[in-house]
Coordinates of all heavy atoms in Angstrom, one line a residue:
T1 N 0.8 -1.2 0.0 CA 0.0 0.0 0.0 C 0.9 1.2 0.0 O 0.6 2.2 -0.7 CB -0.9 0.0 1.2 OG1 -1.7 -1.2 1.2 CG2 -1.8 1.2 1.2
G2 N 1.9 1.2 0.8 CA 2.8 2.4 0.9 C 3.5 2.6 -0.4 O 3.7 3.8 -0.9
I3 N 4.0 1.6 -1.1 CA 4.6 1.7 -2.4 C 3.7 2.3 -3.4 O 4.0 3.2 -4.2 CB 5.2 0.4 -2.9 CG1 6.4 0.0 -1.9 CG2 5.7 0.4 -4.3 CD1 6.9 -1.4 -2.1
T4 N 2.4 1.8 -3.4 CA 1.4 2.3 -4.4 C 1.1 3.7 -4.1 O 1.0 4.5 -5.1 CB 0.1 1.5 -4.3 OG1 0.4 0.1 -4.4 CG2 -0.9 1.9 -5.3
L5 N 1.1 4.1 -2.9 CA 0.8 5.5 -2.5 C 2.0 6.4 -3.0 O 1.9 7.5 -3.5 CB 0.6 5.7 -1.0 CG -0.8 5.4 -0.6 CD1 -0.8 5.4 1.0 CD2 -1.8 6.3 -1.2
A6 N 3.2 5.9 -2.7 CA 4.4 6.7 -3.1 C 4.5 6.9 -4.6 O 5.0 7.9 -5.1 CB 5.7 5.9 -2.6
E7 N 4.1 5.9 -5.4 CA 4.1 6.0 -6.8 C 2.9 6.8 -7.4 O 2.9 7.0 -8.6 CB 4.2 4.6 -7.4 CG 5.5 3.9 -7.1 CD 5.5 2.5 -7.6 OE1 4.4 2.0 -8.0 OE2 6.5 1.8 -7.6
S8 N 2.0 7.2 -6.6 CA 0.8 7.8 -7.1 C 0.9 9.3 -7.1 O 1.6 9.9 -6.3 CB -0.4 7.4 -6.2 OG -0.6 6.0 -6.2
D9 N 0.1 9.9 -7.9 CA -0.1 11.4 -7.9 C -1.2 11.6 -6.8 O -2.4 11.3 -7.0 CB -0.6 11.9 -9.3 CG -0.8 13.4 -9.3 OD1 -0.4 14.1 -8.3 OD2 -1.4 13.9 -10.3
L10 N -0.8 12.2 -5.7 CA -1.7 12.4 -4.6 C -2.9 13.2 -4.9 O -4.0 13.0 -4.3 CB -1.0 12.9 -3.4 CG 0.1 12.0 -2.8 CD1 0.8 12.7 -1.6 CD2 -0.5 10.7 -2.4
Q11 N -2.8 14.2 -5.8 CA -4.0 15.0 -6.2 C -5.0 14.2 -6.9 O -6.2 14.4 -6.8 CB -3.6 16.2 -7.0 CG -2.8 17.2 -6.2 CD -2.4 18.4 -7.1 OE1 -2.5 18.4 -8.3 NE2 -2.1 19.5 -6.4
K12 N -4.6 13.2 -7.7 CA -5.5 12.3 -8.4 C -6.0 11.2 -7.5 O -7.1 10.7 -7.7 CB -4.8 11.7 -9.6 CG -4.5 12.6 -10.7 CD -3.8 11.9 -11.9 CE -3.5 12.9 -13.0 NZ -2.8 12.2 -14.1
L13 N -5.2 10.9 -6.5 CA -5.6 9.8 -5.6 C -6.7 10.2 -4.6 O -7.6 9.4 -4.4 CB -4.3 9.4 -4.8 CG -4.4 8.1 -4.0 CD1 -4.7 6.9 -4.9 CD2 -3.2 7.9 -3.2
F14 N -6.6 11.4 -4.0 CA -7.6 11.7 -3.0 C -8.7 12.6 -3.7 O -8.7 13.8 -3.6 CB -6.9 12.5 -1.9 CG -6.0 11.6 -1.1 CD1 -4.6 11.9 -1.1 CD2 -6.4 10.5 -0.4 CE1 -3.7 11.1 -0.4 CE2 -5.6 9.7 0.3 CZ -4.2 10.0 0.3
T15 N -9.6 11.9 -4.3 CA -10.7 12.5 -5.0 C -12.0 12.4 -4.1 O -12.0 11.8 -3.0 CB -11.0 11.8 -6.3 OG1 -11.3 10.4 -6.0 CG2 -9.7 11.8 -7.2
F16 N -13.1 13.0 -4.6 CA -14.3 12.9 -3.9 C -14.8 11.5 -3.8 O -15.4 11.1 -2.8 CB -15.4 13.8 -4.6 CG -16.7 13.8 -3.9 CD1 -16.9 14.4 -2.7 CD2 -17.8 13.1 -4.5 CE1 -18.1 14.3 -2.1 CE2 -19.0 13.0 -3.9 CZ -19.2 13.7 -2.7
R17 N -14.5 10.7 -4.8 CA -14.9 9.3 -4.8 C -14.2 8.5 -3.7 O -14.9 7.7 -3.0 CB -14.5 8.6 -6.2 CG -14.9 7.2 -6.3 CD -14.5 6.7 -7.7 NE -14.9 5.3 -7.8 CZ -14.4 4.6 -8.8 NH1 -13.7 5.1 -9.8 NH2 -14.8 3.3 -8.9
V18 N -13.0 8.8 -3.4 CA -12.2 8.1 -2.3 C -12.8 8.6 -1.0 O -13.0 7.8 -0.1 CB -10.7 8.4 -2.4 CG1 -10.0 8.0 -1.2 CG2 -10.1 7.8 -3.6
F19 N -13.1 9.9 -0.9 CA -13.6 10.5 0.3 C -15.0 9.9 0.6 O -15.3 9.5 1.7 CB -13.7 12.0 0.2 CG -14.2 12.7 1.5 CD1 -13.4 12.7 2.6 CD2 -15.4 13.2 1.5 CE1 -13.8 13.3 3.8 CE2 -15.9 13.8 2.7 CZ -15.1 13.9 3.8
K20 N -15.8 9.8 -0.4 CA -17.2 9.2 -0.3 C -17.1 7.8 0.2 O -17.9 7.4 1.1 CB -18.0 9.4 -1.6 CG -19.4 9.0 -1.5 CD -20.2 9.3 -2.8 CE -19.8 8.4 -3.9 NZ -20.7 8.5 -5.1
A21 N -16.3 7.0 -0.4 CA -16.2 5.6 0.0 C -15.7 5.5 1.4 O -16.2 4.6 2.2 CB -15.2 4.9 -0.9
S22 N -14.8 6.3 1.8 CA -14.3 6.3 3.2 C -15.4 6.8 4.2 O -15.5 6.2 5.3 CB -13.1 7.2 3.3 OG -12.0 6.8 2.5
M23 N -16.2 7.7 3.8 CA -17.3 8.2 4.7 C -18.3 7.0 4.8 O -18.8 6.8 5.9 CB -17.9 9.4 4.1 CG -17.0 10.6 4.1 SD -16.4 11.1 5.7 CE -17.9 11.9 6.3
Y24 N -18.6 6.3 3.8 CA -19.5 5.2 3.9 C -19.0 4.2 4.9 O -19.6 3.7 5.7 CB -19.8 4.5 2.5 CG -20.7 5.2 1.6 CD1 -20.4 5.5 0.3 CD2 -22.0 5.6 2.1 CE1 -21.3 6.2 -0.5 CE2 -22.9 6.2 1.3 CZ -22.5 6.5 0.0 OH -23.4 7.1 -0.8
K25 N -17.7 3.8 4.7 CA -17.0 2.8 5.5 C -16.9 3.2 7.0 O -17.1 2.4 7.9 CB -15.7 2.5 4.9 CG -14.8 1.6 5.8 CD -15.4 0.2 5.9 CE -14.6 -0.7 6.7 NZ -15.0 -1.0 8.0
N26 N -16.5 4.5 7.2 CA -16.2 4.9 8.6 C -17.4 5.5 9.3 O -17.4 5.5 10.5 CB -15.1 6.0 8.5 CG -13.8 5.4 8.3 OD1 -13.6 4.6 7.3 ND2 -12.8 5.7 9.1
I27 N -18.4 5.9 8.6 CA -19.5 6.6 9.3 C -20.9 5.9 9.0 O -21.6 5.5 10.0 CB -19.6 8.1 9.0 CG1 -18.3 8.8 9.5 CG2 -20.8 8.8 9.6 CD1 -18.1 10.2 9.1
L28 N -21.3 5.9 7.8 CA -22.6 5.4 7.5 C -22.9 3.9 7.8 O -23.9 3.6 8.5 CB -23.0 5.7 6.0 CG -23.0 7.2 5.7 CD1 -23.3 7.3 4.2 CD2 -24.1 7.9 6.5
V29 N -22.0 3.1 7.4 CA -22.2 1.6 7.7 C -22.2 1.3 9.2 O -23.1 0.7 9.7 CB -21.2 0.8 6.9 CG1 -21.2 -0.7 7.4 CG2 -21.5 0.9 5.5
P30 N -21.2 1.9 10.0 CA -21.3 1.6 11.4 C -22.5 2.2 12.1 O -23.0 1.6 13.0 CB -20.0 2.3 12.0 CG -19.1 2.3 10.8 CD -20.0 2.5 9.6
L31 N -22.9 3.4 11.7 CA -24.1 3.9 12.3 C -25.4 3.1 12.0 O -26.3 2.9 12.9 CB -24.3 5.4 11.9 CG -23.3 6.4 12.5 CD1 -23.6 7.8 11.9 CD2 -23.4 6.4 14.0
A32 N -25.5 2.6 10.8 CA -26.6 1.8 10.4 C -26.6 0.5 11.2 O -27.7 0.1 11.7 CB -26.6 1.5 8.9
L33 N -25.5 -0.1 11.3 CA -25.4 -1.3 12.1 C -25.7 -1.1 13.6 O -26.3 -1.9 14.3 CB -24.0 -2.0 12.0 CG -23.7 -2.6 10.7 CD1 -22.2 -3.1 10.6 CD2 -24.6 -3.8 10.5
A34 N -25.2 0.1 14.1 CA -25.5 0.4 15.5 C -27.0 0.6 15.7 O -27.6 0.2 16.7 CB -24.8 1.7 15.9
A35 N -27.7 1.2 14.7 CA -29.2 1.4 14.8 C -29.9 0.0 14.8 O -30.8 -0.2 15.6 CB -29.7 2.2 13.7
V36 N -29.4 -0.9 14.0 CA -30.0 -2.3 14.0 C -29.8 -3.0 15.3 O -30.7 -3.6 15.9 CB -29.4 -3.1 12.8 CG1 -29.8 -4.5 12.9 CG2 -29.8 -2.5 11.5
F37 N -28.6 -2.9 15.8 CA -28.3 -3.5 17.1 C -29.1 -2.9 18.2 O -29.5 -3.6 19.2 CB -26.8 -3.4 17.5 CG -26.0 -4.6 16.9 CD1 -25.9 -4.8 15.6 CD2 -25.3 -5.4 17.8 CE1 -25.2 -5.9 15.1 CE2 -24.5 -6.4 17.3 CZ -24.5 -6.7 15.9
L38 N -29.3 -1.6 18.2 CA -30.1 -0.9 19.2 C -31.5 -1.3 19.1 O -32.1 -1.6 20.2 CB -30.0 0.6 19.0 CG -30.6 1.5 20.1 CD1 -29.9 1.2 21.4 CD2 -30.5 3.0 19.7
V39 N -32.1 -1.4 18.0 CA -33.5 -1.9 17.8 C -33.6 -3.3 18.3 O -34.7 -3.7 18.9 CB -33.9 -1.7 16.3 CG1 -35.2 -2.4 16.1 CG2 -34.0 -0.2 16.0
L40 N -32.7 -4.2 18.0 CA -32.7 -5.6 18.4 C -32.4 -5.8 19.9 O -32.5 -6.9 20.4 CB -31.8 -6.4 17.5 CG -32.1 -6.5 16.1 CD1 -31.1 -7.3 15.3 CD2 -33.5 -7.2 15.9
G41 N -32.0 -4.7 20.6 CA -31.6 -4.8 22.0 C -30.3 -5.6 22.2 O -30.2 -6.2 23.3
Q42 N -29.4 -5.6 21.3 CA -28.2 -6.3 21.4 C -27.0 -5.4 21.6 O -25.8 -5.7 21.3 CB -27.9 -7.1 20.2 CG -28.9 -8.2 19.9 CD -28.9 -9.2 21.0 OE1 -27.9 -9.7 21.5 NE2 -30.1 -9.6 21.4
L43 N -27.2 -4.2 22.2 CA -26.1 -3.2 22.4 C -25.5 -3.4 23.7 O -25.7 -2.5 24.6 CB -26.7 -1.8 22.2 CG -25.6 -0.7 21.8 CD1 -24.9 -1.1 20.5 CD2 -26.3 0.6 21.6
D44 N -24.9 -4.5 23.9 CA -24.2 -4.8 25.2 C -22.7 -4.8 24.9 O -22.2 -4.3 23.8 CB -24.6 -6.1 25.8 CG -24.5 -7.3 24.8 OD1 -24.1 -7.0 23.7 OD2 -24.9 -8.4 25.2
E45 N -21.8 -5.4 25.8 CA -20.4 -5.4 25.6 C -20.0 -6.1 24.3 O -19.1 -5.7 23.6 CB -19.7 -5.9 26.8 CG -19.7 -5.1 28.0 CD -21.0 -5.3 28.9 OE1 -21.8 -6.2 28.6 OE2 -21.2 -4.5 29.8
I46 N -20.7 -7.3 24.1 CA -20.3 -8.1 22.9 C -20.8 -7.3 21.7 O -20.1 -7.3 20.7 CB -21.0 -9.4 23.0 CG1 -20.4 -10.2 24.2 CG2 -20.8 -10.2 21.7 CD1 -21.1 -11.5 24.5
G47 N -21.9 -6.7 21.7 CA -22.4 -6.0 20.6 C -21.5 -4.8 20.2 O -21.2 -4.5 19.1
I48 N -21.1 -4.1 21.3 CA -20.2 -2.9 21.1 C -18.8 -3.4 20.5 O -18.3 -2.8 19.6 CB -20.0 -2.2 22.4 CG1 -21.3 -1.4 22.7 CG2 -18.8 -1.2 22.2 CD1 -21.2 -0.7 24.1
S49 N -18.3 -4.5 20.9 CA -17.0 -5.0 20.4 C -17.2 -5.4 18.9 O -16.3 -5.2 18.1 CB -16.5 -6.1 21.2 OG -17.3 -7.2 21.2
F50 N -18.4 -6.0 18.6 CA -18.6 -6.4 17.2 C -18.8 -5.2 16.3 O -18.2 -5.1 15.2 CB -19.9 -7.3 17.2 CG -20.3 -7.7 15.8 CD1 -19.6 -8.7 15.1 CD2 -21.3 -7.1 15.1 CE1 -20.0 -9.1 13.9 CE2 -21.7 -7.4 13.9 CZ -21.0 -8.5 13.2
L51 N -19.5 -4.2 16.8 CA -19.7 -3.0 16.0 C -18.5 -2.1 15.9 O -18.3 -1.4 14.9 CB -20.8 -2.1 16.7 CG -22.2 -2.7 16.6 CD1 -23.2 -1.9 17.4 CD2 -22.7 -2.7 15.1
T52 N -17.6 -2.2 16.8 CA -16.3 -1.5 16.7 C -15.5 -2.0 15.5 O -14.8 -1.2 14.9 CB -15.5 -1.6 18.0 OG1 -16.3 -1.2 19.1 CG2 -14.2 -0.9 18.0
T53 N -15.5 -3.2 15.2 CA -14.8 -3.7 14.1 C -15.4 -3.2 12.8 O -14.7 -3.0 11.8 CB -14.8 -5.3 14.0 OG1 -16.1 -5.7 14.0 CG2 -14.1 -5.9 15.2
A54 N -16.7 -2.9 12.8 CA -17.3 -2.3 11.6 C -16.8 -0.9 11.3 O -16.8 -0.4 10.2 CB -18.8 -2.3 11.7
A55 N -16.4 -0.2 12.4 CA -16.0 1.2 12.3 C -14.5 1.3 12.1 O -14.0 2.4 11.9 CB -16.3 1.9 13.6
C56 N -13.8 0.2 12.1 CA -12.3 0.2 11.8 C -12.0 0.5 10.4 O -12.8 0.3 9.5 CB -11.7 -1.1 12.3 SG -11.6 -1.3 14.0
P57 N -10.8 1.0 10.1 CA -10.4 1.3 8.7 C -10.5 0.1 7.8 O -10.4 -1.1 8.2 CB -9.0 1.8 8.8 CG -8.7 2.0 10.2 CD -9.7 1.2 11.0
T58 N -10.5 0.4 6.5 CA -10.4 -0.6 5.5 C -9.2 -1.5 5.6 O -8.1 -1.0 5.9 CB -10.5 0.0 4.1 OG1 -11.6 0.9 4.0 CG2 -10.6 -1.0 3.0
A59 N -9.3 -2.7 5.2 CA -8.1 -3.6 5.3 C -7.1 -3.3 4.3 O -7.4 -3.0 3.2 CB -8.6 -5.1 5.2
A60 N -5.8 -3.5 4.7 CA -4.7 -3.2 3.7 C -4.6 -4.3 2.7 O -3.9 -4.2 1.7 CB -3.4 -3.1 4.5
L61 N -5.3 -5.4 2.9 CA -5.3 -6.5 2.0 C -5.9 -6.2 0.6 O -5.5 -6.7 -0.4 CB -6.0 -7.7 2.6 CG -6.0 -9.0 1.8 CD1 -4.6 -9.5 1.7 CD2 -6.9 -10.0 2.5
V62 N -6.9 -5.3 0.6 CA -7.6 -4.9 -0.6 C -6.6 -4.3 -1.7 O -6.7 -4.8 -2.8 CB -8.8 -4.0 -0.3 CG1 -9.5 -3.6 -1.6 CG2 -9.7 -4.7 0.6
P63 N -5.8 -3.3 -1.4 CA -4.9 -2.9 -2.4 C -3.9 -3.9 -2.9 O -3.6 -4.0 -4.1 CB -4.1 -1.7 -1.7 CG -5.0 -1.3 -0.6 CD -5.7 -2.5 -0.2
M64 N -3.5 -4.8 -2.0 CA -2.5 -5.8 -2.4 C -3.2 -6.8 -3.3 O -2.5 -7.3 -4.3 CB -2.0 -6.5 -1.1 CG -1.0 -5.7 -0.3 SD -0.2 -6.5 1.1 CE -1.6 -6.7 2.2
M65 N -4.4 -7.2 -3.0 CA -5.1 -8.1 -3.9 C -5.4 -7.5 -5.3 O -5.3 -8.2 -6.3 CB -6.4 -8.6 -3.3 CG -6.2 -9.5 -2.2 SD -7.7 -10.2 -1.6 CE -8.2 -11.3 -2.9
A66 N -5.7 -6.2 -5.3 CA -5.9 -5.5 -6.6 C -4.6 -5.6 -7.4 O -4.7 -5.8 -8.6 CB -6.3 -4.0 -6.4
L67 N -3.5 -5.3 -6.8 CA -2.2 -5.4 -7.6 C -1.9 -6.8 -8.0 O -1.4 -7.1 -9.1 CB -1.1 -4.8 -6.7 CG -1.1 -3.3 -6.4 CD1 -0.1 -2.9 -5.5 CD2 -1.0 -2.6 -7.7
Q68 N -2.2 -7.8 -7.1 CA -1.9 -9.2 -7.5 C -2.7 -9.6 -8.7 O -2.2 -10.4 -9.5 CB -2.3 -10.1 -6.3 CG -2.0 -11.6 -6.5 CD -2.3 -12.4 -5.3 OE1 -2.6 -11.9 -4.3 NE2 -2.2 -13.7 -5.5
Y69 N -3.9 -9.2 -8.8 CA -4.8 -9.6 -10.0 C -4.7 -8.5 -11.1 O -5.7 -8.5 -11.9 CB -6.2 -9.9 -9.5 CG -6.2 -11.1 -8.6 CD1 -6.4 -11.0 -7.2 CD2 -6.1 -12.3 -9.2 CE1 -6.4 -12.1 -6.4 CE2 -6.1 -13.5 -8.4 CZ -6.3 -13.3 -7.0 OH -6.3 -14.5 -6.2
D70 N -3.7 -7.7 -11.2 CA -3.4 -6.8 -12.2 C -4.5 -5.7 -12.4 O -4.9 -5.3 -13.5 CB -3.2 -7.5 -13.6 CG -2.0 -8.4 -13.5 OD1 -1.0 -8.0 -12.9 OD2 -2.0 -9.5 -14.1
Y71 N -5.0 -5.2 -11.3 CA -5.9 -4.1 -11.3 C -5.2 -2.9 -10.8 O -4.1 -3.0 -10.1 CB -7.2 -4.4 -10.4 CG -8.1 -5.3 -11.0 CD1 -8.1 -6.7 -10.6 CD2 -9.0 -4.9 -12.0 CE1 -9.0 -7.6 -11.2 CE2 -9.9 -5.9 -12.6 CZ -9.9 -7.2 -12.2 OH -10.8 -8.1 -12.7
D72 N -5.7 -1.7 -11.0 CA -5.1 -0.5 -10.5 C -5.2 -0.4 -9.0 O -6.3 -0.5 -8.5 CB -5.8 0.7 -11.2 CG -5.1 2.0 -10.8 OD1 -3.9 2.0 -10.3 OD2 -5.8 3.1 -10.9
G73 N -4.1 -0.3 -8.3 CA -4.1 -0.3 -6.9 C -4.2 1.1 -6.3 O -4.3 1.2 -5.0
Q74 N -4.3 2.1 -7.1 CA -4.4 3.5 -6.6 C -5.7 3.7 -5.8 O -5.6 4.3 -4.7 CB -4.2 4.5 -7.7 CG -2.7 4.5 -8.2 CD -2.5 5.6 -9.2 OE1 -3.4 6.4 -9.5 NE2 -1.3 5.7 -9.7
L75 N -6.8 3.4 -6.4 CA -8.1 3.6 -5.7 C -8.2 2.9 -4.4 O -8.5 3.5 -3.4 CB -9.3 3.3 -6.6 CG -10.6 3.5 -6.0 CD1 -10.8 5.0 -5.8 CD2 -11.7 3.0 -7.0
P76 N -7.9 1.6 -4.3 CA -8.0 1.0 -3.0 C -7.0 1.5 -2.0 O -7.2 1.6 -0.8 CB -7.8 -0.5 -3.3 CG -7.7 -0.7 -4.7 CD -7.7 0.6 -5.4
S77 N -5.8 1.9 -2.5 CA -4.8 2.5 -1.6 C -5.3 3.8 -1.1 O -5.0 4.1 0.1 CB -3.5 2.6 -2.3 OG -2.9 1.4 -2.7
G78 N -5.9 4.6 -1.9 CA -6.4 5.9 -1.4 C -7.5 5.7 -0.4 O -7.6 6.4 0.6
I79 N -8.4 4.7 -0.6 CA -9.5 4.5 0.3 C -8.9 3.9 1.6 O -9.4 4.4 2.7 CB -10.5 3.5 -0.3 CG1 -11.2 4.1 -1.5 CG2 -11.5 3.0 0.7 CD1 -12.1 3.2 -2.3
F80 N -7.9 3.1 1.5 CA -7.3 2.6 2.8 C -6.7 3.7 3.6 O -6.9 3.8 4.8 CB -6.2 1.5 2.4 CG -5.3 1.2 3.5 CD1 -5.7 0.4 4.6 CD2 -4.0 1.6 3.5 CE1 -4.9 0.1 5.6 CE2 -3.1 1.3 4.5 CZ -3.6 0.5 5.6
T81 N -5.9 4.6 2.9 CA -5.3 5.7 3.6 C -6.3 6.6 4.1 O -6.2 7.1 5.3 CB -4.3 6.4 2.6 OG1 -3.4 5.4 2.1 CG2 -3.5 7.5 3.3
M82 N -7.3 7.0 3.3 CA -8.3 8.0 3.8 C -9.1 7.4 5.0 O -9.3 8.1 5.9 CB -9.2 8.4 2.7 CG -10.2 9.4 3.0 SD -9.6 11.0 3.3 CE -9.2 11.6 1.7
S83 N -9.5 6.2 4.9 CA -10.3 5.6 6.0 C -9.4 5.5 7.3 O -9.9 5.6 8.4 CB -10.9 4.3 5.6 OG -9.9 3.3 5.4
T84 N -8.1 5.2 7.1 CA -7.3 5.2 8.3 C -7.1 6.5 8.9 O -7.2 6.6 10.2 CB -5.9 4.6 7.9 OG1 -6.0 3.3 7.3 CG2 -5.0 4.5 9.1
V85 N -7.0 7.6 8.1 CA -6.8 8.9 8.7 C -8.2 9.3 9.3 O -8.2 9.9 10.4 CB -6.4 9.9 7.6 CG1 -6.5 11.3 8.0 CG2 -5.0 9.6 7.1
L86 N -9.3 9.1 8.6 CA -10.6 9.4 9.2 C -10.9 8.7 10.5 O -11.6 9.2 11.4 CB -11.7 9.1 8.2 CG -11.9 10.2 7.1 CD1 -12.9 9.7 6.1 CD2 -12.2 11.5 7.6
S87 N -10.4 7.4 10.6 CA -10.7 6.6 11.8 C -10.1 7.2 13.0 O -10.5 6.9 14.1 CB -10.3 5.2 11.6 OG -8.9 5.0 11.6
M88 N -9.0 8.0 12.9 CA -8.5 8.6 14.1 C -9.4 9.5 14.8 O -9.4 9.7 16.0 CB -7.2 9.4 13.7 CG -6.0 8.5 13.4 SD -4.5 9.4 13.1 CE -4.4 9.4 11.4
A89 N -10.4 10.1 14.0 CA -11.4 11.0 14.6 C -12.7 10.2 14.8 O -13.3 10.4 15.9 CB -11.6 12.2 13.7
T90 N -13.1 9.4 13.9 CA -14.4 8.8 14.0 C -14.5 7.6 15.0 O -15.5 7.4 15.6 CB -14.9 8.3 12.6 OG1 -13.9 7.3 12.1 CG2 -15.0 9.4 11.6
L91 N -13.4 6.8 15.1 CA -13.5 5.6 15.9 C -13.7 6.0 17.4 O -14.5 5.4 18.1 CB -12.2 4.8 15.7 CG -12.3 3.4 16.2 CD1 -13.5 2.6 15.7 CD2 -11.0 2.6 15.8
P92 N -12.9 6.9 18.0 CA -13.2 7.3 19.4 C -14.5 7.9 19.6 O -15.2 7.6 20.6 CB -12.1 8.4 19.7 CG -11.0 8.1 18.7 CD -11.7 7.6 17.5
L93 N -15.0 8.7 18.7 CA -16.4 9.3 18.8 C -17.4 8.2 18.7 O -18.4 8.2 19.5 CB -16.6 10.3 17.7 CG -15.8 11.6 17.8 CD1 -16.0 12.5 16.6 CD2 -16.2 12.3 19.1
Y94 N -17.2 7.2 17.8 CA -18.2 6.1 17.7 C -18.2 5.3 18.9 O -19.3 4.9 19.4 CB -17.7 5.3 16.4 CG -18.6 4.2 16.1 CD1 -19.9 4.4 15.5 CD2 -18.2 2.8 16.3 CE1 -20.7 3.3 15.2 CE2 -19.0 1.8 16.0 CZ -20.3 2.0 15.4 OH -21.1 1.0 15.1
I95 N -17.1 4.9 19.5 CA -17.1 4.1 20.7 C -17.7 4.9 21.9 O -18.4 4.3 22.7 CB -15.6 3.6 21.0 CG1 -15.1 2.7 19.9 CG2 -15.5 3.0 22.4 CD1 -13.7 2.3 20.0
Y96 N -17.4 6.1 22.0 CA -18.0 7.0 23.0 C -19.5 7.0 22.9 O -20.2 6.8 23.9 CB -17.4 8.4 23.0 CG -18.1 9.3 24.0 CD1 -17.7 9.2 25.4 CD2 -19.0 10.2 23.6 CE1 -18.3 10.0 26.3 CE2 -19.6 11.1 24.5 CZ -19.3 11.0 25.9 OH -19.9 11.8 26.8
G97 N -20.0 7.2 21.7 CA -21.4 7.2 21.4 C -22.1 5.9 21.7 O -23.2 5.8 22.3
L98 N -21.5 4.8 21.3 CA -22.0 3.4 21.6 C -22.0 3.2 23.1 O -23.0 2.6 23.6 CB -21.2 2.3 20.9 CG -21.4 2.2 19.4 CD1 -20.4 1.1 18.9 CD2 -22.8 1.8 19.1
S99 N -21.0 3.5 23.8 CA -21.0 3.4 25.3 C -22.1 4.2 25.9 O -22.7 3.7 26.9 CB -19.6 3.7 25.8 OG -18.6 3.0 25.2
A100 N -22.3 5.4 25.5 CA -23.4 6.2 26.0 C -24.7 5.6 25.8 O -25.6 5.6 26.6 CB -23.3 7.6 25.5
L101 N -24.9 5.1 24.5 CA -26.2 4.4 24.2 C -26.4 3.1 25.0 O -27.5 2.8 25.4 CB -26.3 4.1 22.7 CG -26.6 5.2 21.8 CD1 -26.5 4.8 20.3 CD2 -28.0 5.8 22.1
A102 N -25.4 2.4 25.2 CA -25.5 1.1 26.0 C -25.8 1.3 27.4 O -26.5 0.5 28.1 CB -24.2 0.3 25.9
S103 N -25.5 2.5 28.0 CA -25.7 2.7 29.4 C -27.2 3.3 29.6 O -27.6 3.4 30.7 CB -24.7 3.7 30.0 OG -24.8 5.0 29.3
I104 N -27.9 3.6 28.6 CA -29.3 4.1 28.7 C -30.2 3.0 29.1 O -30.2 1.9 28.7 CB -29.7 4.7 27.4 CG1 -28.9 6.0 27.1 CG2 -31.2 5.0 27.4 CD1 -29.3 6.7 25.8

């Protein structure tokens, strides 16, 4: 992933498409799953630990697989990097919010 990023033009790499995919992965999907767990009454310690994995950044395996199968690795590398950077802000907020909801 790092090599792909180093060889990429960063202005072309970090586009709205990459940002949108990262927002889906880091914010929308975890919030939707949290709502489902809340409705089902499964927002306990096990539910929070399961939901925390949904809010974690995209796996680094995706860019490597893209390169292995001769696809362009720039888009998955950008999504991986952007979701990792976004998770520094979203993951603590998400865990705090889940903990607050679980204590209600």
Side-chain angles (χ1 to χ4, degrees):
T1 302
I3 292 171
T4 305
L5 283 172
E7 294 174 349
S8 301
D9 180 12
L10 293 180
Q11 289 182 344
K12 291 181 181 177
L13 189 62
F14 295 114
T15 62
F16 180 71
R17 182 178 177 192
V18 170
F19 183 72
K20 185 172 74 169
S22 299
M23 294 300 282
Y24 281 130
K25 171 67 178 103
N26 285 48
I27 296 174
L28 294 178
V29 170
L31 287 178
L33 287 173
V36 169
F37 271 60
L38 187 63
V39 168
L40 294 175
Q42 297 296 319
L43 203 56
D44 53 2
E45 290 85 10
I46 296 171
I48 289 174
S49 64
F50 178 76
L51 290 170
T52 301
T53 60
C56 287
T58 307
L61 183 65
V62 176
M64 290 186 289
M65 288 188 69
L67 292 173
Q68 181 179 354
Y69 292 105
D70 296 325
Y71 288 99
D72 184 19
Q74 288 186 0
L75 180 63
S77 294
I79 293 171
F80 167 72
T81 304
M82 180 71 73
S83 69
T84 301
V85 170
L86 281 175
S87 72
M88 287 188 256
T90 59
L91 196 55
L93 293 173
Y94 183 71
I95 292 171
Y96 176 76
L98 285 177
S99 300
L101 281 174
S103 65
I104 292 178

